Amino acid sequence: MSSPAPKSPEMSDKSRKYDRQIRLWGEHGQTVLENAQICLINATALGTEILKGIVLPGIGGFTIVDHLPVTEEDVGCNFFLDLGSVGQPRAKRCMQLLQELNPDVNGDYVDEHVEQLIDSQPDFFRNFDVVVATSISERTIVRLSNVLWEQNIPLIIARSVGFYGVARLQVREHCVVETHPDSKQNDLRLEHPFEGLRKHMEEAELTNKVPWLVVLYKVLYEWVAAHDGKFPSNYREKSDLRELIQSKMDGEKENFEEAIKAVNSSFGGGKPSSSVREILEDDRCVNVNKESNAFWIMARALKDFVDNEGNGMLPVPGVLPDMTADTNSYISLQTVYRGQAAHDAEIVFRRARQLLKELNKPNDLITEKDVRLFCREAANIAVVQGSKIAEEFDKGYQRASVIAGGLETPSSLMGHYIVLRALDRFQADYGCVPGESEAESDTTRIKSLAAKMISEWGISTPINDDLAHEICRYGGAEIHSISAYLGGCIAHELIKLVTKQYRPFDNTFIYDGSTSQTETYKL
């Protein structure tokens, strides 16, 4: 019988509870999540599904603002309500049942109309990291949009009706350091080796025990010497390099085989991409001031490094992919990269400290740990520049061309956006939802409102009649499965906004459950 495997260090109850998600956004991301506060306006089926998706992973706390009592219609579509809840305050009842999902999360409620809060306590929303509103009126959308834009608090407006759903994100500026791109470029500095790497490679012997990076480096520079100092840049040249590595193999050598596979993905790292260069050349980076946040100050320090010590290159991230090798040779190579990464990060950190002093900002605004993370992720940093939702309700809306293009595209979901906006206008004009009493006459009204809306934007393309009929057929009702799916999607976006990891959608997400189709538009 084999001896038992050694026990891993004891995990805390919290780490064990949230282990799977910590693998996605790390301990630091989980800490940020646990300190965040979210406000939900209206505990609809969609609203409670959104909260479910952030209560389970351990959001710090949530507050529900809702002035309505629970109705039988709510019970029919909202998983968190039962017949015993009918007549009770919807905000209170949903808060109680959502808290049962995770006792670590604090819940609160305000049994008041959001319009009253805007009038009497406009600073109420400053207590929250993100505000989410579901099924609110056109007038409230505009007022809430303006208030939260001025307070610089992210806002998500969402609605689910029948098989259709829409979510719109409003954020003035969202800076992301850890974007977690799907395909991450390995920054190995093969074409621009730093002194420590060059020395290590010169001293390393080519055996079947060394990491494939040593194999690739040595054979690469043999190939470069034979091609007038040029590096392989196209498929044919990289194929020649692979053949040269193959010729060096004596029998089965796994590290040589890995080097052959890595040829396509190992070049080109280190230089700022066009998107990163755009950030470094942005006025907010070049001309930092007392209002600048930590991201832009670190970006300026990074820019100074690239323009000076880095000679046009980003700091070395110090991250190596997995490689088949003996332990000593891999750790030795890893130490070389980590040492250079620490050296580069120290330069950026000293520059960031200098900037903080010049701007009369506290030293603890940016820590050494912050800078090391920023340098490690420098190749993929991103800034989302948002727009105000209230602007979409102006007759002279500037991005009407995006809507026009969508309406002209076959199988596009832009028509769904228009018909859901027409539903908001219908409620404002008639005081009820379309299809609540007369589906046929309301269909005509919806079509008329949609036509008037797109005409105000200078668009001549009409919406499909079937969309108007469908939106009236539901009578404003939610289907729980549709709201559950859309709520899950929006909960993901909330977590991205709170943790400042991964890119949030930008900025309008549309879902058609009848065709299982989703689309994102920047409006």
Side-chain angles (χ1 to χ4, degrees):
M1 182 183 292
S2 61
S3 57
K7 290 185 177 180
S8 60
E10 286 295 322
M11 296 174 66
S12 67
D13 290 341
K14 186 167 288 187
S15 295
R16 190 180 298 110
K17 180 176 182 177
Y18 298 126
D19 177 58
R20 292 201 306 177
Q21 65 204 44
I22 288 174
R23 296 167 192 257
L24 292 176
W25 50 73
E27 292 277 3
H28 58 296
Q30 184 64 30
T31 299
V32 172
L33 189 69
E34 290 173 8
N35 289 314
Q37 295 289 326
I38 303 297
C39 176
L40 170 71
I41 297 169
N42 290 341
T44 60
L46 175 59
T48 51
E49 287 295 331
I50 294 169
L51 286 184
K52 181 187 77 174
I54 59 172
V55 167
L56 288 171
I59 195 76
F62 67 90
T63 298
I64 300 175
V65 177
D66 194 339
H67 68 292
L68 294 173
V70 177
T71 65
E72 291 185 0
E73 288 78 6
D74 291 324
V75 175
C77 65
N78 194 327
F79 177 80
F80 291 93
L81 296 170
D82 53 31
L83 285 172
S85 305
V86 174
Q88 297 183 40
R90 191 164 66 171
K92 179 181 179 180
R93 192 64 185 131
C94 286
M95 181 273 292
Q96 292 170 334
L97 294 171
L98 281 162
Q99 269 197 293
E100 291 181 7
L101 295 175
N102 192 341
D104 293 339
V105 175
N106 296 316
D108 198 1
Y109 73 95
V110 176
D111 188 12
E112 193 172 338
H113 196 292
V114 66
E115 291 264 6
Q116 292 176 312
L117 277 179
I118 295 173
D119 291 332
S120 61
Q121 303 178 58
D123 288 339
F124 169 82
F125 300 104
R126 294 188 187 275
N127 300 313
F128 304 101
D129 296 277
V130 187
V131 175
V132 187
T134 66
S135 300
I136 61 175
S137 70
E138 192 175 76
R139 178 177 182 273
T140 307
I141 290 173
V142 173
R143 294 195 67 195
L144 194 61
S145 169
N146 286 325
V147 168
L148 296 183
W149 183 265
E150 290 303 315
Q151 296 179 358
N152 197 21
I153 299 171
L155 167 67
I156 295 179
I157 300 288
R159 183 183 284 277
S160 173
V161 180
F163 282 96
Y164 300 162
V166 64
R168 167 68 157 91
L169 168 64
Q170 171 182 292
V171 60
R172 293 184 75 165
E173 177 186 279
H174 184 66
C175 303
V176 188
V177 176
E178 296 175 87
T179 54
H180 302 277
D182 292 334
S183 54
K184 198 169 186 177
Q185 169 77 48
N186 289 324
D187 183 2
L188 303 174
R189 302 298 165 97
L190 290 174
E191 304 103 306
H192 305 279
F194 48 91
E195 184 59 34
L197 178 61
R198 189 182 296 110
K199 183 179 179 181
H200 178 87
M201 292 300 186
E202 288 172 357
E203 295 174 352
E205 294 184 12
L206 204 57
T207 69
N208 63 344
K209 299 293 186 180
V210 298
W212 62 256
L213 187 54
V214 177
V215 176
L216 181 55
Y217 182 95
K218 287 184 171 291
V219 179
L220 170 65
Y221 278 88
E222 182 181 329
W223 188 95
V224 168
H227 290 79
D228 301 322
K230 292 171 59 178
F231 288 89
S233 59
N234 55 44
Y235 178 79
R236 183 174 180 178
E237 291 173 346
K238 289 180 179 179
S239 295
D240 290 343
L241 177 59
R242 280 192 286 267
E243 290 173 6
L244 183 58
I245 298 172
Q246 182 80 38
S247 69
K248 305 285 183 182
M249 290 179 63
D250 181 17
E252 288 188 11
K253 292 184 177 179
E254 194 169 353
N255 56 342
F256 278 74
E257 292 173 356
E258 288 181 353
I260 292 170
K261 293 177 182 177
V263 166
N264 278 342
S265 60
S266 299
F267 301 120
K271 291 186 177 180
S273 64
S274 59
S275 59
V276 171
R277 177 60 66 184
E278 189 176 331
I279 292 173
L280 299 184
E281 293 174 355
D282 192 291
D283 184 65
R284 289 165 292 180
C285 175
V286 176
N287 299 309
V288 291
N289 54 54
K290 291 183 179 180
E291 303 302 319
S292 300
N293 60 27
F295 178 92
W296 287 112
I297 295 172
M298 287 192 288
R300 172 57 193 272
L302 176 67
K303 173 181 169 58
D304 291 344
F305 175 89
V306 172
D307 292 343
N308 295 284
E309 295 89 350
N311 295 312
M313 305 292 286
L314 295 168
V316 171
V319 179
L320 287 183
D322 291 336
M323 304 179 191
T324 300
D326 65 78
T327 303
N328 289 337
S329 61
Y330 181 80
I331 291 177
S332 177
L333 181 61
Q334 188 179 57
T335 301
V336 170
Y337 276 91
R338 286 183 175 178
Q340 186 63 36
H343 173 267
D344 292 352
E346 176 62 26
I347 295 172
V348 177
F349 178 60
R350 287 203 304 268
R351 178 57 180 145
R353 275 293 175 90
Q354 182 184 350
L355 288 166
L356 288 174
K357 185 177 180 180
E358 292 173 3
L359 298 170
N360 198 26
K361 284 178 168 284
N363 273 341
D364 59 0
L365 178 64
I366 297 173
T367 66
E368 191 171 2
K369 186 177 180 181
D370 295 333
V371 173
R372 286 201 303 267
L373 176 63
F374 196 89
C375 290
R376 191 188 78 194
E377 303 293 336
N380 299 294
I381 58 174
V383 176
V384 176
Q385 197 66 37
S387 60
K388 196 196 302 188
I389 295 175
E391 293 174 353
E392 293 176 33
F393 294 82
D394 295 338
K395 292 182 180 180
Y397 180 48
Q398 296 296 313
R399 295 190 61 82
S401 58
V402 177
I403 296 174
L407 289 175
E408 293 169 1
T409 304
S411 72
S412 161
L413 295 185
M414 185 55 78
H416 296 62
Y417 167 78
I418 297 296
V419 80
L420 286 165
R421 281 288 308 278
L423 182 149
D424 292 335
R425 185 69 56 84
F426 186 102
Q427 279 188 288
D429 290 352
Y430 299 101
C432 62
V433 293
E436 200 168 26
S437 55
E438 295 290 337
E440 289 303 319
S441 60
D442 287 351
T443 300
T444 303
R445 292 188 180 120
I446 280 285
K447 287 163 61 177
S448 175
L449 289 170
K452 182 181 178 183
M453 190 184 304
I454 59 180
S455 176
E456 290 173 351
W457 293 331
I459 301 171
S460 57
T461 308
I463 64 165
N464 190 312
D465 288 352
D466 291 341
L467 293 175
H469 180 266
E470 278 292 288
I471 207 71
C472 293
R473 187 165 69 91
Y474 305 133
E478 290 186 68
I479 298 175
H480 179 260
S481 57
I482 302 300
S483 293
Y485 174 82
L486 185 60
C489 293
I490 296 171
H492 288 168
E493 302 308 312
L494 281 175
I495 292 169
K496 293 176 188 178
L497 290 168
V498 166
T499 61
K500 291 183 170 59
Q501 294 189 41
Y502 300 88
R503 288 172 180 259
F505 72 96
D506 186 21
N507 52 26
T508 302
F509 177 79
I510 304 170
Y511 174 54
D512 182 346
S514 63
T515 59
S516 297
Q517 185 181 356
T518 63
E519 280 184 6
T520 303
Y521 295 98
K522 186 174 178 65
L523 299 178

